[in-house]
Amino acid sequence: MRRVAARLSRVTGSDRDRDAEGRARQARPRDALVRPLPYGAEGVEPVSEEALPPGETLDAARELVKAGSPFSAHEVLEARWKAGPIEERDLWQGLAQLCVGMTHAARGNQVGADRLFDRAADRLTAFAATGRWAYGLDLDATATQARDHVGTF
């Protein structure tokens, strides 16, 4: 019992940033590509974890990508897929993976970027095959761009 308590205190101790519920929250500022900055530096504002309606999600993600914050776009898309219907999961996850691929590419991790672009293309192609509405996105073109490792949507 004492060992468990000691391990738990290391995980939840004052050396870790936590929210009111005890979940890990990094208070250290981050740049647009989620790299840590020194405490006290000015970083990018985190995006809300609240899911937006689908059209607003796409608009916000596009604007964040244009502003050079593809990881923040990923977070907006991730909130949508977690809140949305299971039938749309491949759409939102594919778009989120595309944004993480862009983040890896911008950080110089081409191997990671290539893998995520391929996964994104697979998910988007799977969703397109269902014939469901994709909120005006041309999924064939987006999947092709992902397979060509061009991160835009």
Side-chain angles (χ1 to χ4, degrees):
M1 182 64 113
R2 191 175 267 176
R3 275 188 254 161
V4 171
R7 270 197 321 255
L8 190 57
S9 70
R10 282 195 302 265
V11 172
T12 60
S14 62
D15 60 331
R16 306 267 319 254
D17 298 323
R18 300 281 177 176
D19 66 12
E21 287 80 37
R23 292 185 303 248
R25 296 285 185 224
Q26 182 56 260
R28 191 170 166 183
R30 303 289 173 151
D31 71 8
L33 297 176
V34 201
R35 293 176 293 216
L37 298 171
Y39 283 102
E42 189 171 329
V44 298
E45 279 295 312
V47 297
S48 172
E49 292 182 13
E50 295 296 318
L52 299 170
E56 290 178 39
T57 296
L58 292 172
D59 291 343
R62 283 186 185 113
E63 289 303 313
L64 288 162
V65 167
K66 286 179 190 174
S69 296
F71 193 82
S72 293
H74 150 268
E75 291 179 333
V76 168
L77 293 159
E78 181 179 61
R80 178 75 244 145
W81 78 254
K82 286 181 176 180
I86 191 80
E87 299 84 21
E88 295 182 359
R89 187 176 208 168
D90 279 337
L91 171 65
W92 301 112
Q93 282 185 335
L95 294 172
Q97 286 175 325
L98 184 61
C99 292
V100 176
M102 288 185 251
T103 303
H104 281 289
R107 292 174 82 178
N109 176 6
Q110 198 57 49
V111 170
D114 291 347
R115 288 180 181 155
L116 281 156
F117 286 144
D118 289 340
R119 287 181 196 154
D122 290 345
R123 284 194 185 275
L124 296 172
T125 300
F127 184 81
T130 69
R132 288 189 175 86
W133 171 243
Y135 302 96
L137 291 174
D138 182 343
L139 292 184
D140 292 331
T142 305
T144 297
Q145 287 179 321
R147 288 198 199 290
D148 292 342
H149 307 270
V150 179
T152 60
F153 63 94

